[in-house]
Amino acid sequence: MEQPLTRSSDSAAQVPVASPVDVARAVANVLLPMAASGAIVRRPRVMALRQRLQLDARAVKEMQRLRERYGPGPVQVIPGRRISLVFEPQDVHRVLNGSPEPFTPASLEKRGALGHFQPAGVLVSSAEERAHRRPFNEKVLEQGRPVHHHGEKMAAAIAEEVEALLGHVEFTGTLTWDDFAVMWWRMVRRIVLGDSARDDERVTDDLLRLRKDANMSYLKPRRVLRRRRFLEGLQKYVDRAEPGSLAEMVATTPAHPDTQPVQQIPQWLFASDAAAWASFRALAMLSAYPDAGARAREEVPSAPDLPYLRSCVLESLRLWPTTPLILRDTTEDTRWENGTLPAGSSIVIFAPFFHRDETRVPEAHRFEPELWLRERTDEDWPFVPFSGGPAMCPGRNVALLMASNVLAHLVKDRRWTVSGAPPLGPERPVPASFSPFGLTFTPA
Ligand code: HEM
């Protein structure tokens, strides 16, 4: 049973419900733009609109207004489903540290979405299944090591793929998102599945198809045959167990029968997409902030361990979190400063509010990679691009290794001019919304 908070009252009343007008505003300004952008695979056109209208600024303002109006405790903004927004750092830490009980990451919404391609993935698992699946993910991904023991092999694949991309850029004169994404997926397939998967677009196209369905969650019927073909494709790579791949580690890491090792892999593939968005935005920042670009270039010889470039990627993720809505469902009644929430309620941590609220975060609209040069703790303000607590992203270090090494090769011998971005630079506030998909880089 969870300990009550020291600041909790004995109130048996439920956490307040926002007024109908505030419900409509919270949905329109906070929840809808995020859902419309695509929870599992992004919709570039909606992202472009979000950038044009700078909708994330509106969302943060709405959160500030709601907090002002209802106080620091949570407030329910979808009464039927009992979805509550939280506003205080200690509530963020409490919810994330209280995973999987009483705050399970396997929320109704996530089960609806991820069930399309990884119904046995750790993120949508019960507490009992998680007890086996989480340690398996941590072992294979080596979550505590900045550089995975396959790091040299990963770095070699990254070097080859980025060099091939740069050859293409020399030919076309520009670096676009589409070219970057082709390179990215070749690299991810090699790192996760093995070198022989480099050109196996079918496996990631199958996943893309299933991810598109996942955006529609329960509204789309499950494509059972496609999912079977996709998972069988992954199984083949595990059977092949190419040395230096994560598939090899899946094949050789002991697993409890409940673990379903192959079903842990889709998350590693699909979540790598977020690292691509963060890297492309970080490249724009390194191009627009000459001092940061110079510091990154100086660091290149120490690859694959690149703390400053990793910080740049983390800062890109703080400014534009790729998981803006961190969801938890309550598994028992929980007490809060302003009332109780019954079991089965939903808690939403809206990350941009905690990352970009200029009334409480001095660096809200500045590019400050230095924020990440030391490990952050629960004593710190919650910047949570990788979530936190026992369900924190176990692939964080693999993602940062990929992203930082890709950036190192891109900036090593080149300076880039960026177009297609909102105005960027040290003299101005960092934009609230920033789509990576419309960016084009030209060697300066
Ligand atoms: C920049 C890239 C990435 C970001 C921002 C990111 C972020 C996150 C976040 C926020 C969560 C928690 C979601 C939640 O609580 O609902 C999560 C979970 C997870 N991530 Fe990542 N992730 C990234 C890349 C990766 C990669 C590359 C891998 C694997 C190679 C990975 C593996 C996982 C796994 C297995 C979980 C589920 C953890 C659990 O439920 O215990 N992620 N990630």
Side-chain angles (χ1 to χ4, degrees):
M1 195 67 185
E2 208 210 7
Q3 291 299 311
L5 283 184
T6 42
R7 64 192 174 85
S8 294
S9 74
D10 265 346
S11 164
Q14 273 200 25
V15 156
V17 179
S19 72
V21 171
D22 287 335
V23 165
R25 290 186 61 149
V27 170
N29 292 325
V30 181
L31 302 178
L32 197 62
M34 305 301 139
S37 302
I40 306 297
V41 59
R42 291 291 187 269
R43 300 183 176 106
R45 267 188 245 162
V46 182
M47 292 293 284
L49 185 70
R50 202 164 130 190
Q51 172 176 306
R52 194 157 66 244
L53 303 178
Q54 289 295 301
L55 291 184
D56 293 66
R58 210 178 288 183
V60 171
K61 281 221 156 40
E62 187 59 45
M63 291 290 294
Q64 290 165 339
R65 204 187 62 83
L66 287 167
R67 183 178 177 278
E68 183 81 7
R69 177 123 199 229
Y70 295 95
V75 62
Q76 297 189 55
V77 290
I78 310 259
R81 166 78 177 100
R82 292 197 302 271
I83 298 183
S84 294
L85 295 167
V86 292
F87 296 94
E88 290 304 305
Q90 61 270 33
D91 288 342
V92 174
H93 292 309
R94 174 192 178 198
V95 169
L96 295 180
N97 288 331
S99 302
E101 281 174 335
F103 302 110
T104 175
S107 69
L108 184 70
E109 291 75 14
K110 268 185 266 183
R111 280 182 281 131
L114 300 184
H116 283 277
F117 57 90
Q118 50 176 40
V122 60
L123 193 48
V124 286
S125 297
S126 67
E128 298 72 40
E129 295 160 339
R130 167 171 286 275
H132 306 296
R133 294 173 186 168
R134 174 75 197 191
F136 182 82
N137 274 273
E138 291 180 2
K139 274 198 205 97
V140 173
L141 301 172
E142 297 182 354
Q143 78 154 356
R145 287 181 61 153
V147 178
H148 195 278
H149 90 276
H150 288 174
E152 293 294 338
K153 171 96 175 131
M154 292 176 179
I158 293 168
E160 284 172 21
E161 295 306 334
V162 182
E163 285 316 313
L165 173 67
L166 288 171
H168 179 74
V169 168
E170 242 152 60
F171 182 67
T172 59
T174 55
L175 169 59
T176 63
W177 169 259
D178 286 348
D179 296 334
F180 184 77
V182 169
M183 178 283 295
W184 190 269
W185 283 107
R186 287 178 178 156
M187 170 195 84
V188 168
R189 286 189 295 262
R190 288 179 68 175
I191 289 173
V192 176
L193 303 175
D195 287 340
S196 66
R198 177 186 190 262
D199 297 316
D200 185 356
E201 289 176 1
R202 187 168 96 161
V203 75
T204 36
D205 284 353
D206 275 348
L207 176 57
L208 183 62
R209 177 69 262 163
L210 298 167
R211 286 171 64 196
K212 284 184 177 162
D213 291 349
N215 272 355
M216 304 301 290
S217 191
Y218 294 105
L219 299 177
K220 272 270 175 173
R222 306 285 198 237
R223 284 175 210 265
V224 179
L225 293 179
R226 180 75 67 124
R227 185 170 83 202
R228 189 181 308 151
R229 182 172 94 173
F230 166 61
L231 293 172
E232 282 169 3
L234 298 183
Q235 181 68 56
K236 281 193 194 131
Y237 288 106
V238 173
D239 294 343
R240 191 176 284 174
E242 280 181 46
S245 66
L246 295 179
E248 180 202 20
M249 294 201 56
V250 172
T252 55
T253 302
H256 182 275
D258 261 5
T259 305
Q260 305 220 28
V262 169
Q263 278 214 35
Q264 307 314 312
I265 302 176
Q267 174 91 25
W268 311 345
L269 292 171
F270 108 79
S272 297
D273 220 356
W277 311 329
S279 304
F280 220 44
R281 288 175 174 130
L283 182 62
M285 299 309 268
L286 291 169
S287 310
Y289 288 71
D291 292 351
R295 189 162 172 194
R297 248 168 241 114
E298 271 166 33
E299 188 186 56
V300 171
S302 62
D305 189 11
L306 299 163
Y308 183 71
L309 274 163
R310 290 160 63 92
S311 302
C312 292
V313 177
L314 282 158
E315 184 61 349
S316 156
L317 287 164
R318 176 184 72 88
L319 293 166
W320 305 286
T322 52
T323 309
L325 303 173
I326 302 178
L327 309 181
R328 295 287 183 270
D329 279 2
T330 58
T331 57
E332 60 190 58
D333 296 358
T334 51
R335 295 170 62 194
W336 305 82
E337 171 174 294
N338 54 355
T340 61
L341 279 174
S345 304
S346 162
I347 310 274
V348 174
I349 298 169
F350 182 56
F353 175 60
F354 293 96
H355 297 186
R356 301 292 297 267
D357 173 8
E358 70 285 350
T359 64
R360 298 196 286 179
V361 179
E363 307 83 359
H365 308 315
R366 301 204 302 259
F367 178 58
E368 298 271 355
E370 290 73 15
L371 286 173
W372 298 97
L373 286 172
R374 67 166 176 83
E375 210 48 56
R376 299 184 66 84
T377 71
D378 281 1
E379 306 308 311
D380 290 308
W381 189 263
F383 295 150
V384 286
F386 286 100
S387 175
M392 181 192 200
C393 176
R396 178 181 193 268
N397 278 319
V398 170
L400 293 173
L401 181 87
M402 293 194 292
S404 59
N405 280 268
V406 164
L407 287 169
H409 287 284
L410 289 172
V411 301
K412 188 172 52 170
D413 302 318
R414 285 177 180 74
R415 285 177 175 68
W416 300 90
T417 315
V418 57
S419 63
L424 299 174
E427 310 305 328
R428 51 178 94 239
V430 169
S433 308
F434 181 12
S435 169
F437 307 119
L439 292 176
T440 302
F441 294 87
T442 317

